[in-house]
Amino acid sequence: MKINLLSHSAADWNTPLLVVLAADVAAAKGSPANPMLLTTHPALQAAAAPWLASGEFKAALGETFLLPAPTGLHARRLLLVGVGKTGQLSAHELRQGAGVAVRYARPRALRELALALPEHPSLTTAPALRAMAEGAITADFDIDFYRADRKDLSIETVSILLSGADLSGADLSGVDAMDASLQTAVREGSILAESQNFARALINEPGNILTPTELGRRAAAMAAEFGLACEVHSTEKLRELGMGAFIAVAQGSSQPPALIVLRYEPVSAPSPDAPVIGLVGKGITFDTGGISIKPAENMDRMKYDMAGAASVIAAMRAIAQLKPAVRVLAVICSCENMPDGRAYKPGDVVTAMSGKTIEIINTDAEGRLVLADGLHYAQTLGATCLLNAATLTGAIGTALGQINAGLFCNHDATARQFLDVLSLTGEKFWRMPCSDDYRDQIQSQIADIKNTGGSRFAGATAAAMFLKEFIGDNPLIPWIHLDIAATTWLDDQKPWQSRGPSGIAIRTITEWVRSYAG
């Protein structure tokens, strides 16, 4: 999809579909809806006025209302898209509104549309433009890749029109007349959304196609396209490094594991004391649970157990294009968790790369094992600040539902720095505890630690405490663990997004990394 930013009046723009966002300005909760267009353009106001007054359209979030052949406009159709209450209006609602417009156009064989830039005192132009670009591109995605009768419904062009009434229908000659920061905002939004869709496409792939080896190939191809350094290793390298935890999980599969390392080096060298960011992703391309096998119901979903890896790879794709002045490396630990005759077993003791011994209580707690070796390896490569992403526990969904993903952190300032970018990215994370008083849950009688807490209580925190064992504390390595298990896959289609992989965390990881560039 191409996103165009044009200094042109929406009323005079010839397009198959012109989209104008609207909000409900009703003053009090429970009072009748009072929809208002988010534009002061008189021609747009006049075309919509009878329908706003009719009560048929209330401007609820995701609501649409189509006006064919609108009077006084050059557009062939005018689509009103609701973004909810004005008191809650932010760039995130614009992201959703742009997504609704694209999802409306796709099944109707419309290949281009135009969005009028909304006007409201609570909105800042550059963040609004970025959010609309993100929403439009992420909406242009569906999961039916393997249907024989699949139709290409993709949108070719979305034009965002700077359509204030003061333009009086004049074309202000596009890019040259426009603040460069606005073009930058659209470009950044496009890069982030395209990277998010890149991750969603990986997560959607079936396990028989996206093996660990294939994930390595696709990561290497992405790295070659965007100028990242890439290495892909397998079993021999794991043995050489002493990655006993990673090897234990991988050994039950006929598919060899993949250890993927990506490196981004900024054009201008950062100062010697600048952090080196290490991103680590769990890449279990299919998870049966191993000997502690999962129930058959919904096991098909376990192709998405590599979503953490996809998020990290996609974030590196965005970082390579946005070029922040900070060094970043990524470590992806990818394998299958299968129950054959060589598979690791409950009761086994394995030795991680760090030298810690781990008693295996449950082979379905495999993600933390591969991450243990990945986190340690990232530190040996020079990472001084760590973030890992993983579909790690079902317990995080019990705690937070499918709204917020879990955030665990050993360093308050680092957690605040991550949470501070959420207002820009529109994603939802909630900080969870991982203080040392939870450590008893992973205390083993025969090894240094065990791989599950052995209790239904605080399961997500027990997993975080396990990972924390592999983070350096002298000096302290700031570390963030994102448990995205409950928010990775959307069961229900939203008006602005298809069902299937959400691509959560890519925008926020990327912005968190960029926050270190200052």
Side-chain angles (χ1 to χ4, degrees), residues 130 134 184-193 195 226 228 264 266-267 314-326 506-507 509-511 513-514 517:
R130 171 176 153 156
E134 289 170 355
T184 298
V186 171
R187 175 179 172 271
E188 290 182 355
S190 298
I191 288 169
L192 288 161
S195 296
F226 294 104
L228 297 170
Y264 164 76
V267 175
M316 290 297 286
R317 181 187 187 276
I319 289 163
Q321 297 173 79
L322 296 171
K323 302 187 186 307
V326 59
I506 291 122
R507 299 198 302 263
I509 292 172
T510 303
E511 285 305 323
V513 168
R514 294 178 79 195

PDB file of all heavy atoms in Angstrom, residues 130 134 184-193 195 226 228 264 266-267 314-326 506-507 509-511 513-514 517:
ATOM      1  N   ARG A 130       0.860   9.837  11.597  1.00  0.00           N
ATOM      2  CA  ARG A 130       1.545   8.568  11.794  1.00  0.00           C
ATOM      3  C   ARG A 130       0.561   7.460  12.169  1.00  0.00           C
ATOM      4  O   ARG A 130       0.606   6.352  11.624  1.00  0.00           O
ATOM      5  CB  ARG A 130       2.597   8.725  12.893  1.00  0.00           C
ATOM      6  CG  ARG A 130       3.209   7.407  13.331  1.00  0.00           C
ATOM      7  CD  ARG A 130       4.298   7.610  14.351  1.00  0.00           C
ATOM      8  NE  ARG A 130       4.403   6.430  15.196  1.00  0.00           N
ATOM      9  CZ  ARG A 130       5.486   6.096  15.855  1.00  0.00           C
ATOM     10  NH1 ARG A 130       6.564   6.834  15.773  1.00  0.00           N
ATOM     11  NH2 ARG A 130       5.499   5.031  16.612  1.00  0.00           N
ATOM     12  N   GLU A 134      -0.396   3.977  10.143  1.00  0.00           N
ATOM     13  CA  GLU A 134      -0.303   2.661  10.786  1.00  0.00           C
ATOM     14  C   GLU A 134      -1.631   1.913  10.687  1.00  0.00           C
ATOM     15  O   GLU A 134      -1.668   0.718  10.345  1.00  0.00           O
ATOM     16  CB  GLU A 134       0.087   2.834  12.257  1.00  0.00           C
ATOM     17  CG  GLU A 134       1.510   3.285  12.472  1.00  0.00           C
ATOM     18  CD  GLU A 134       1.806   3.674  13.900  1.00  0.00           C
ATOM     19  OE1 GLU A 134       0.869   3.698  14.745  1.00  0.00           O
ATOM     20  OE2 GLU A 134       2.974   3.982  14.205  1.00  0.00           O
ATOM     21  N   THR A 184       7.653  12.854   7.422  1.00  0.00           N
ATOM     22  CA  THR A 184       8.388  11.919   8.265  1.00  0.00           C
ATOM     23  C   THR A 184       7.434  11.084   9.107  1.00  0.00           C
ATOM     24  O   THR A 184       7.623   9.877   9.272  1.00  0.00           O
ATOM     25  CB  THR A 184       9.367  12.676   9.173  1.00  0.00           C
ATOM     26  OG1 THR A 184      10.321  13.357   8.358  1.00  0.00           O
ATOM     27  CG2 THR A 184      10.090  11.733  10.117  1.00  0.00           C
ATOM     28  N   ALA A 185       6.392  11.714   9.626  1.00  0.00           N
ATOM     29  CA  ALA A 185       5.420  10.990  10.442  1.00  0.00           C
ATOM     30  C   ALA A 185       4.730   9.892   9.637  1.00  0.00           C
ATOM     31  O   ALA A 185       4.566   8.760  10.114  1.00  0.00           O
ATOM     32  CB  ALA A 185       4.381  11.965  10.999  1.00  0.00           C
ATOM     33  N   VAL A 186       4.344  10.206   8.404  1.00  0.00           N
ATOM     34  CA  VAL A 186       3.706   9.205   7.551  1.00  0.00           C
ATOM     35  C   VAL A 186       4.685   8.084   7.215  1.00  0.00           C
ATOM     36  O   VAL A 186       4.333   6.898   7.245  1.00  0.00           O
ATOM     37  CB  VAL A 186       3.160   9.862   6.272  1.00  0.00           C
ATOM     38  CG1 VAL A 186       2.684   8.811   5.277  1.00  0.00           C
ATOM     39  CG2 VAL A 186       2.011  10.810   6.618  1.00  0.00           C
ATOM     40  N   ARG A 187       5.922   8.473   6.919  1.00  0.00           N
ATOM     41  CA  ARG A 187       6.934   7.459   6.602  1.00  0.00           C
ATOM     42  C   ARG A 187       7.175   6.523   7.794  1.00  0.00           C
ATOM     43  O   ARG A 187       7.234   5.291   7.639  1.00  0.00           O
ATOM     44  CB  ARG A 187       8.243   8.142   6.202  1.00  0.00           C
ATOM     45  CG  ARG A 187       9.400   7.180   5.961  1.00  0.00           C
ATOM     46  CD  ARG A 187      10.675   7.904   5.551  1.00  0.00           C
ATOM     47  NE  ARG A 187      11.790   6.982   5.505  1.00  0.00           N
ATOM     48  CZ  ARG A 187      12.581   6.695   6.533  1.00  0.00           C
ATOM     49  NH1 ARG A 187      12.359   7.299   7.705  1.00  0.00           N
ATOM     50  NH2 ARG A 187      13.578   5.834   6.429  1.00  0.00           N
ATOM     51  N   GLU A 188       7.312   7.087   8.985  1.00  0.00           N
ATOM     52  CA  GLU A 188       7.558   6.261  10.161  1.00  0.00           C
ATOM     53  C   GLU A 188       6.379   5.331  10.434  1.00  0.00           C
ATOM     54  O   GLU A 188       6.556   4.145  10.746  1.00  0.00           O
ATOM     55  CB  GLU A 188       7.827   7.150  11.375  1.00  0.00           C
ATOM     56  CG  GLU A 188       9.164   7.868  11.308  1.00  0.00           C
ATOM     57  CD  GLU A 188       9.440   8.707  12.542  1.00  0.00           C
ATOM     58  OE1 GLU A 188       8.541   8.811  13.409  1.00  0.00           O
ATOM     59  OE2 GLU A 188      10.571   9.242  12.646  1.00  0.00           O
ATOM     60  N   GLY A 189       5.164   5.869  10.325  1.00  0.00           N
ATOM     61  CA  GLY A 189       3.992   5.028  10.519  1.00  0.00           C
ATOM     62  C   GLY A 189       3.931   3.889   9.513  1.00  0.00           C
ATOM     63  O   GLY A 189       3.574   2.757   9.860  1.00  0.00           O
ATOM     64  N   SER A 190       4.297   4.182   8.272  1.00  0.00           N
ATOM     65  CA  SER A 190       4.287   3.144   7.236  1.00  0.00           C
ATOM     66  C   SER A 190       5.309   2.063   7.528  1.00  0.00           C
ATOM     67  O   SER A 190       5.030   0.858   7.393  1.00  0.00           O
ATOM     68  CB  SER A 190       4.564   3.780   5.870  1.00  0.00           C
ATOM     69  OG  SER A 190       3.562   4.718   5.538  1.00  0.00           O
ATOM     70  N   ILE A 191       6.505   2.464   7.934  1.00  0.00           N
ATOM     71  CA  ILE A 191       7.563   1.484   8.243  1.00  0.00           C
ATOM     72  C   ILE A 191       7.132   0.579   9.389  1.00  0.00           C
ATOM     73  O   ILE A 191       7.281  -0.654   9.330  1.00  0.00           O
ATOM     74  CB  ILE A 191       8.872   2.216   8.588  1.00  0.00           C
ATOM     75  CG1 ILE A 191       9.487   2.823   7.329  1.00  0.00           C
ATOM     76  CG2 ILE A 191       9.872   1.279   9.265  1.00  0.00           C
ATOM     77  CD1 ILE A 191      10.638   3.777   7.600  1.00  0.00           C
ATOM     78  N   LEU A 192       6.596   1.166  10.444  1.00  0.00           N
ATOM     79  CA  LEU A 192       6.188   0.372  11.599  1.00  0.00           C
ATOM     80  C   LEU A 192       5.050  -0.581  11.244  1.00  0.00           C
ATOM     81  O   LEU A 192       5.052  -1.755  11.646  1.00  0.00           O
ATOM     82  CB  LEU A 192       5.785   1.295  12.741  1.00  0.00           C
ATOM     83  CG  LEU A 192       6.957   2.022  13.407  1.00  0.00           C
ATOM     84  CD1 LEU A 192       6.468   3.220  14.187  1.00  0.00           C
ATOM     85  CD2 LEU A 192       7.730   1.074  14.316  1.00  0.00           C
ATOM     86  N   ALA A 193       4.067  -0.093  10.491  1.00  0.00           N
ATOM     87  CA  ALA A 193       2.926  -0.940  10.133  1.00  0.00           C
ATOM     88  C   ALA A 193       3.332  -2.047   9.172  1.00  0.00           C
ATOM     89  O   ALA A 193       2.869  -3.190   9.293  1.00  0.00           O
ATOM     90  CB  ALA A 193       1.825  -0.087   9.521  1.00  0.00           C
ATOM     91  N   SER A 195       6.233  -3.427   9.029  1.00  0.00           N
ATOM     92  CA  SER A 195       6.981  -4.390   9.846  1.00  0.00           C
ATOM     93  C   SER A 195       6.034  -5.219  10.699  1.00  0.00           C
ATOM     94  O   SER A 195       6.243  -6.425  10.880  1.00  0.00           O
ATOM     95  CB  SER A 195       7.994  -3.644  10.721  1.00  0.00           C
ATOM     96  OG  SER A 195       8.960  -2.994   9.917  1.00  0.00           O
ATOM     97  N   PHE A 226      17.483  -4.974   4.143  1.00  0.00           N
ATOM     98  CA  PHE A 226      17.506  -3.708   4.883  1.00  0.00           C
ATOM     99  C   PHE A 226      18.863  -3.397   5.521  1.00  0.00           C
ATOM    100  O   PHE A 226      18.976  -2.461   6.312  1.00  0.00           O
ATOM    101  CB  PHE A 226      16.401  -3.707   5.942  1.00  0.00           C
ATOM    102  CG  PHE A 226      15.027  -3.719   5.342  1.00  0.00           C
ATOM    103  CD1 PHE A 226      14.269  -4.870   5.339  1.00  0.00           C
ATOM    104  CD2 PHE A 226      14.514  -2.583   4.732  1.00  0.00           C
ATOM    105  CE1 PHE A 226      12.997  -4.897   4.768  1.00  0.00           C
ATOM    106  CE2 PHE A 226      13.248  -2.597   4.157  1.00  0.00           C
ATOM    107  CZ  PHE A 226      12.485  -3.756   4.170  1.00  0.00           C
ATOM    108  N   LEU A 228      21.041  -5.225   7.523  1.00  0.00           N
ATOM    109  CA  LEU A 228      21.434  -5.737   8.826  1.00  0.00           C
ATOM    110  C   LEU A 228      22.441  -6.870   8.664  1.00  0.00           C
ATOM    111  O   LEU A 228      22.376  -7.630   7.697  1.00  0.00           O
ATOM    112  CB  LEU A 228      20.220  -6.277   9.588  1.00  0.00           C
ATOM    113  CG  LEU A 228      19.123  -5.277   9.957  1.00  0.00           C
ATOM    114  CD1 LEU A 228      17.903  -6.016  10.468  1.00  0.00           C
ATOM    115  CD2 LEU A 228      19.616  -4.284  10.988  1.00  0.00           C
ATOM    116  N   TYR A 264      22.330  -4.427  14.250  1.00  0.00           N
ATOM    117  CA  TYR A 264      22.169  -3.106  13.659  1.00  0.00           C
ATOM    118  C   TYR A 264      23.257  -2.199  14.213  1.00  0.00           C
ATOM    119  O   TYR A 264      23.412  -2.069  15.436  1.00  0.00           O
ATOM    120  CB  TYR A 264      20.789  -2.520  13.986  1.00  0.00           C
ATOM    121  CG  TYR A 264      20.712  -1.036  13.738  1.00  0.00           C
ATOM    122  CD1 TYR A 264      20.608  -0.530  12.439  1.00  0.00           C
ATOM    123  CD2 TYR A 264      20.789  -0.132  14.797  1.00  0.00           C
ATOM    124  CE1 TYR A 264      20.571   0.830  12.209  1.00  0.00           C
ATOM    125  CE2 TYR A 264      20.745   1.234  14.574  1.00  0.00           C
ATOM    126  CZ  TYR A 264      20.638   1.717  13.280  1.00  0.00           C
ATOM    127  OH  TYR A 264      20.612   3.060  13.052  1.00  0.00           O
ATOM    128  N   PRO A 266      24.528   1.764  14.025  1.00  0.00           N
ATOM    129  CA  PRO A 266      24.151   3.098  13.528  1.00  0.00           C
ATOM    130  C   PRO A 266      25.247   3.710  12.675  1.00  0.00           C
ATOM    131  O   PRO A 266      26.423   3.345  12.786  1.00  0.00           O
ATOM    132  CB  PRO A 266      23.930   3.890  14.811  1.00  0.00           C
ATOM    133  CG  PRO A 266      24.711   3.174  15.857  1.00  0.00           C
ATOM    134  CD  PRO A 266      24.699   1.731  15.474  1.00  0.00           C
ATOM    135  N   VAL A 267      24.852   4.647  11.823  1.00  0.00           N
ATOM    136  CA  VAL A 267      25.797   5.308  10.930  1.00  0.00           C
ATOM    137  C   VAL A 267      26.851   6.050  11.731  1.00  0.00           C
ATOM    138  O   VAL A 267      28.047   5.955  11.465  1.00  0.00           O
ATOM    139  CB  VAL A 267      25.044   6.280   9.983  1.00  0.00           C
ATOM    140  CG1 VAL A 267      26.038   7.067   9.137  1.00  0.00           C
ATOM    141  CG2 VAL A 267      24.067   5.502   9.100  1.00  0.00           C
ATOM    142  N   ALA A 314      10.777  -8.396  13.351  1.00  0.00           N
ATOM    143  CA  ALA A 314      10.079  -7.260  12.729  1.00  0.00           C
ATOM    144  C   ALA A 314      10.543  -5.931  13.310  1.00  0.00           C
ATOM    145  O   ALA A 314      10.656  -4.930  12.587  1.00  0.00           O
ATOM    146  CB  ALA A 314       8.574  -7.423  12.896  1.00  0.00           C
ATOM    147  N   ALA A 315      10.803  -5.893  14.613  1.00  0.00           N
ATOM    148  CA  ALA A 315      11.333  -4.667  15.210  1.00  0.00           C
ATOM    149  C   ALA A 315      12.691  -4.321  14.609  1.00  0.00           C
ATOM    150  O   ALA A 315      12.979  -3.150  14.323  1.00  0.00           O
ATOM    151  CB  ALA A 315      11.441  -4.817  16.727  1.00  0.00           C
ATOM    152  N   MET A 316      13.530  -5.328  14.381  1.00  0.00           N
ATOM    153  CA  MET A 316      14.830  -5.077  13.745  1.00  0.00           C
ATOM    154  C   MET A 316      14.642  -4.563  12.320  1.00  0.00           C
ATOM    155  O   MET A 316      15.412  -3.720  11.840  1.00  0.00           O
ATOM    156  CB  MET A 316      15.662  -6.345  13.755  1.00  0.00           C
ATOM    157  CG  MET A 316      16.146  -6.771  15.127  1.00  0.00           C
ATOM    158  SD  MET A 316      17.254  -5.583  15.935  1.00  0.00           S
ATOM    159  CE  MET A 316      18.764  -5.836  15.005  1.00  0.00           C
ATOM    160  N   ARG A 317      13.612  -5.050  11.638  1.00  0.00           N
ATOM    161  CA  ARG A 317      13.302  -4.560  10.285  1.00  0.00           C
ATOM    162  C   ARG A 317      12.978  -3.066  10.322  1.00  0.00           C
ATOM    163  O   ARG A 317      13.429  -2.300   9.464  1.00  0.00           O
ATOM    164  CB  ARG A 317      12.114  -5.352   9.736  1.00  0.00           C
ATOM    165  CG  ARG A 317      11.672  -4.988   8.317  1.00  0.00           C
ATOM    166  CD  ARG A 317      10.394  -5.736   7.977  1.00  0.00           C
ATOM    167  NE  ARG A 317      10.010  -5.553   6.574  1.00  0.00           N
ATOM    168  CZ  ARG A 317       9.317  -4.525   6.103  1.00  0.00           C
ATOM    169  NH1 ARG A 317       8.936  -3.554   6.932  1.00  0.00           N
ATOM    170  NH2 ARG A 317       8.999  -4.465   4.824  1.00  0.00           N
ATOM    171  N   ALA A 318      12.180  -2.666  11.320  1.00  0.00           N
ATOM    172  CA  ALA A 318      11.829  -1.248  11.450  1.00  0.00           C
ATOM    173  C   ALA A 318      13.038  -0.419  11.872  1.00  0.00           C
ATOM    174  O   ALA A 318      13.271   0.672  11.340  1.00  0.00           O
ATOM    175  CB  ALA A 318      10.691  -1.097  12.461  1.00  0.00           C
ATOM    176  N   ILE A 319      13.811  -0.921  12.816  1.00  0.00           N
ATOM    177  CA  ILE A 319      14.989  -0.204  13.306  1.00  0.00           C
ATOM    178  C   ILE A 319      15.975   0.043  12.172  1.00  0.00           C
ATOM    179  O   ILE A 319      16.556   1.132  12.066  1.00  0.00           O
ATOM    180  CB  ILE A 319      15.639  -0.999  14.461  1.00  0.00           C
ATOM    181  CG1 ILE A 319      14.748  -0.922  15.708  1.00  0.00           C
ATOM    182  CG2 ILE A 319      17.051  -0.500  14.761  1.00  0.00           C
ATOM    183  CD1 ILE A 319      15.063  -1.969  16.751  1.00  0.00           C
ATOM    184  N   ALA A 320      16.156  -0.950  11.312  1.00  0.00           N
ATOM    185  CA  ALA A 320      17.095  -0.801  10.194  1.00  0.00           C
ATOM    186  C   ALA A 320      16.710   0.352   9.281  1.00  0.00           C
ATOM    187  O   ALA A 320      17.579   0.996   8.678  1.00  0.00           O
ATOM    188  CB  ALA A 320      17.159  -2.100   9.394  1.00  0.00           C
ATOM    189  N   GLN A 321      15.409   0.637   9.164  1.00  0.00           N
ATOM    190  CA  GLN A 321      14.948   1.722   8.289  1.00  0.00           C
ATOM    191  C   GLN A 321      14.873   3.070   9.009  1.00  0.00           C
ATOM    192  O   GLN A 321      15.123   4.117   8.402  1.00  0.00           O
ATOM    193  CB  GLN A 321      13.570   1.369   7.722  1.00  0.00           C
ATOM    194  CG  GLN A 321      13.589   0.128   6.835  1.00  0.00           C
ATOM    195  CD  GLN A 321      12.183  -0.276   6.431  1.00  0.00           C
ATOM    196  OE1 GLN A 321      11.593   0.311   5.528  1.00  0.00           O
ATOM    197  NE2 GLN A 321      11.621  -1.263   7.103  1.00  0.00           N
ATOM    198  N   LEU A 322      14.551   3.051  10.292  1.00  0.00           N
ATOM    199  CA  LEU A 322      14.430   4.301  11.047  1.00  0.00           C
ATOM    200  C   LEU A 322      15.789   4.817  11.521  1.00  0.00           C
ATOM    201  O   LEU A 322      15.920   5.990  11.856  1.00  0.00           O
ATOM    202  CB  LEU A 322      13.490   4.091  12.237  1.00  0.00           C
ATOM    203  CG  LEU A 322      12.045   3.766  11.853  1.00  0.00           C
ATOM    204  CD1 LEU A 322      11.230   3.366  13.074  1.00  0.00           C
ATOM    205  CD2 LEU A 322      11.389   4.951  11.150  1.00  0.00           C
ATOM    206  N   LYS A 323      16.762   3.924  11.597  1.00  0.00           N
ATOM    207  CA  LYS A 323      18.174   4.275  11.843  1.00  0.00           C
ATOM    208  C   LYS A 323      18.407   5.107  13.109  1.00  0.00           C
ATOM    209  O   LYS A 323      19.007   6.186  13.062  1.00  0.00           O
ATOM    210  CB  LYS A 323      18.751   5.005  10.624  1.00  0.00           C
ATOM    211  CG  LYS A 323      18.669   4.203   9.335  1.00  0.00           C
ATOM    212  CD  LYS A 323      19.393   4.876   8.196  1.00  0.00           C
ATOM    213  CE  LYS A 323      19.189   4.136   6.886  1.00  0.00           C
ATOM    214  NZ  LYS A 323      19.509   2.697   6.944  1.00  0.00           N
ATOM    215  N   PRO A 324      17.979   4.619  14.268  1.00  0.00           N
ATOM    216  CA  PRO A 324      18.292   5.333  15.509  1.00  0.00           C
ATOM    217  C   PRO A 324      19.783   5.236  15.835  1.00  0.00           C
ATOM    218  O   PRO A 324      20.455   4.268  15.438  1.00  0.00           O
ATOM    219  CB  PRO A 324      17.453   4.601  16.562  1.00  0.00           C
ATOM    220  CG  PRO A 324      17.298   3.215  16.013  1.00  0.00           C
ATOM    221  CD  PRO A 324      17.211   3.377  14.523  1.00  0.00           C
ATOM    222  N   ALA A 325      20.284   6.200  16.571  1.00  0.00           N
ATOM    223  CA  ALA A 325      21.708   6.237  16.918  1.00  0.00           C
ATOM    224  C   ALA A 325      21.974   5.411  18.169  1.00  0.00           C
ATOM    225  O   ALA A 325      22.391   5.915  19.218  1.00  0.00           O
ATOM    226  CB  ALA A 325      22.155   7.676  17.112  1.00  0.00           C
ATOM    227  N   VAL A 326      21.717   4.119  18.077  1.00  0.00           N
ATOM    228  CA  VAL A 326      21.947   3.202  19.186  1.00  0.00           C
ATOM    229  C   VAL A 326      22.251   1.818  18.609  1.00  0.00           C
ATOM    230  O   VAL A 326      21.658   1.426  17.598  1.00  0.00           O
ATOM    231  CB  VAL A 326      20.725   3.162  20.135  1.00  0.00           C
ATOM    232  CG1 VAL A 326      19.467   2.730  19.400  1.00  0.00           C
ATOM    233  CG2 VAL A 326      20.972   2.267  21.331  1.00  0.00           C
ATOM    234  N   ILE A 506       5.613  -4.828  18.315  1.00  0.00           N
ATOM    235  CA  ILE A 506       6.637  -4.340  17.378  1.00  0.00           C
ATOM    236  C   ILE A 506       6.763  -2.821  17.459  1.00  0.00           C
ATOM    237  O   ILE A 506       7.878  -2.286  17.561  1.00  0.00           O
ATOM    238  CB  ILE A 506       6.306  -4.776  15.939  1.00  0.00           C
ATOM    239  CG1 ILE A 506       6.460  -6.287  15.786  1.00  0.00           C
ATOM    240  CG2 ILE A 506       7.202  -4.080  14.919  1.00  0.00           C
ATOM    241  CD1 ILE A 506       5.252  -6.987  15.348  1.00  0.00           C
ATOM    242  N   ARG A 507       5.641  -2.118  17.433  1.00  0.00           N
ATOM    243  CA  ARG A 507       5.704  -0.655  17.484  1.00  0.00           C
ATOM    244  C   ARG A 507       6.348  -0.178  18.785  1.00  0.00           C
ATOM    245  O   ARG A 507       7.180   0.736  18.795  1.00  0.00           O
ATOM    246  CB  ARG A 507       4.298  -0.049  17.335  1.00  0.00           C
ATOM    247  CG  ARG A 507       3.606  -0.386  16.033  1.00  0.00           C
ATOM    248  CD  ARG A 507       2.448   0.554  15.725  1.00  0.00           C
ATOM    249  NE  ARG A 507       1.421   0.605  16.736  1.00  0.00           N
ATOM    250  CZ  ARG A 507       0.285  -0.092  16.714  1.00  0.00           C
ATOM    251  NH1 ARG A 507       0.057  -0.940  15.719  1.00  0.00           N
ATOM    252  NH2 ARG A 507      -0.618   0.045  17.654  1.00  0.00           N
ATOM    253  N   ILE A 509       8.348  -1.933  20.989  1.00  0.00           N
ATOM    254  CA  ILE A 509       9.768  -2.295  21.090  1.00  0.00           C
ATOM    255  C   ILE A 509      10.613  -1.309  20.289  1.00  0.00           C
ATOM    256  O   ILE A 509      11.649  -0.814  20.753  1.00  0.00           O
ATOM    257  CB  ILE A 509      10.004  -3.735  20.589  1.00  0.00           C
ATOM    258  CG1 ILE A 509       9.363  -4.754  21.541  1.00  0.00           C
ATOM    259  CG2 ILE A 509      11.501  -4.026  20.456  1.00  0.00           C
ATOM    260  CD1 ILE A 509       9.379  -6.180  21.013  1.00  0.00           C
ATOM    261  N   THR A 510      10.166  -1.008  19.082  1.00  0.00           N
ATOM    262  CA  THR A 510      10.930  -0.106  18.214  1.00  0.00           C
ATOM    263  C   THR A 510      11.046   1.281  18.836  1.00  0.00           C
ATOM    264  O   THR A 510      12.138   1.871  18.869  1.00  0.00           O
ATOM    265  CB  THR A 510      10.269  -0.014  16.832  1.00  0.00           C
ATOM    266  OG1 THR A 510      10.158  -1.330  16.273  1.00  0.00           O
ATOM    267  CG2 THR A 510      11.088   0.858  15.893  1.00  0.00           C
ATOM    268  N   GLU A 511       9.940   1.808  19.349  1.00  0.00           N
ATOM    269  CA  GLU A 511       9.986   3.141  19.949  1.00  0.00           C
ATOM    270  C   GLU A 511      10.805   3.149  21.232  1.00  0.00           C
ATOM    271  O   GLU A 511      11.493   4.137  21.537  1.00  0.00           O
ATOM    272  CB  GLU A 511       8.573   3.663  20.217  1.00  0.00           C
ATOM    273  CG  GLU A 511       7.847   4.120  18.973  1.00  0.00           C
ATOM    274  CD  GLU A 511       8.617   5.170  18.194  1.00  0.00           C
ATOM    275  OE1 GLU A 511       9.277   6.029  18.807  1.00  0.00           O
ATOM    276  OE2 GLU A 511       8.571   5.125  16.960  1.00  0.00           O
ATOM    277  N   VAL A 513      13.436   1.261  21.799  1.00  0.00           N
ATOM    278  CA  VAL A 513      14.821   1.297  21.334  1.00  0.00           C
ATOM    279  C   VAL A 513      15.193   2.708  20.896  1.00  0.00           C
ATOM    280  O   VAL A 513      16.257   3.239  21.254  1.00  0.00           O
ATOM    281  CB  VAL A 513      15.029   0.288  20.180  1.00  0.00           C
ATOM    282  CG1 VAL A 513      16.379   0.526  19.486  1.00  0.00           C
ATOM    283  CG2 VAL A 513      14.944  -1.141  20.694  1.00  0.00           C
ATOM    284  N   ARG A 514      14.316   3.367  20.147  1.00  0.00           N
ATOM    285  CA  ARG A 514      14.606   4.721  19.680  1.00  0.00           C
ATOM    286  C   ARG A 514      14.741   5.710  20.831  1.00  0.00           C
ATOM    287  O   ARG A 514      15.440   6.732  20.710  1.00  0.00           O
ATOM    288  CB  ARG A 514      13.504   5.193  18.727  1.00  0.00           C
ATOM    289  CG  ARG A 514      13.438   4.408  17.426  1.00  0.00           C
ATOM    290  CD  ARG A 514      12.301   4.900  16.552  1.00  0.00           C
ATOM    291  NE  ARG A 514      12.649   6.127  15.843  1.00  0.00           N
ATOM    292  CZ  ARG A 514      11.771   6.919  15.255  1.00  0.00           C
ATOM    293  NH1 ARG A 514      10.479   6.642  15.319  1.00  0.00           N
ATOM    294  NH2 ARG A 514      12.162   7.996  14.620  1.00  0.00           N
ATOM    295  N   ALA A 517      18.234   6.640  21.751  1.00  0.00           N
ATOM    296  CA  ALA A 517      19.098   7.301  20.771  1.00  0.00           C
ATOM    297  C   ALA A 517      19.472   8.712  21.207  1.00  0.00           C
ATOM    298  O   ALA A 517      20.429   9.281  20.704  1.00  0.00           O
ATOM    299  CB  ALA A 517      18.426   7.339  19.400  1.00  0.00           C
TER     300      ALA A 517
END
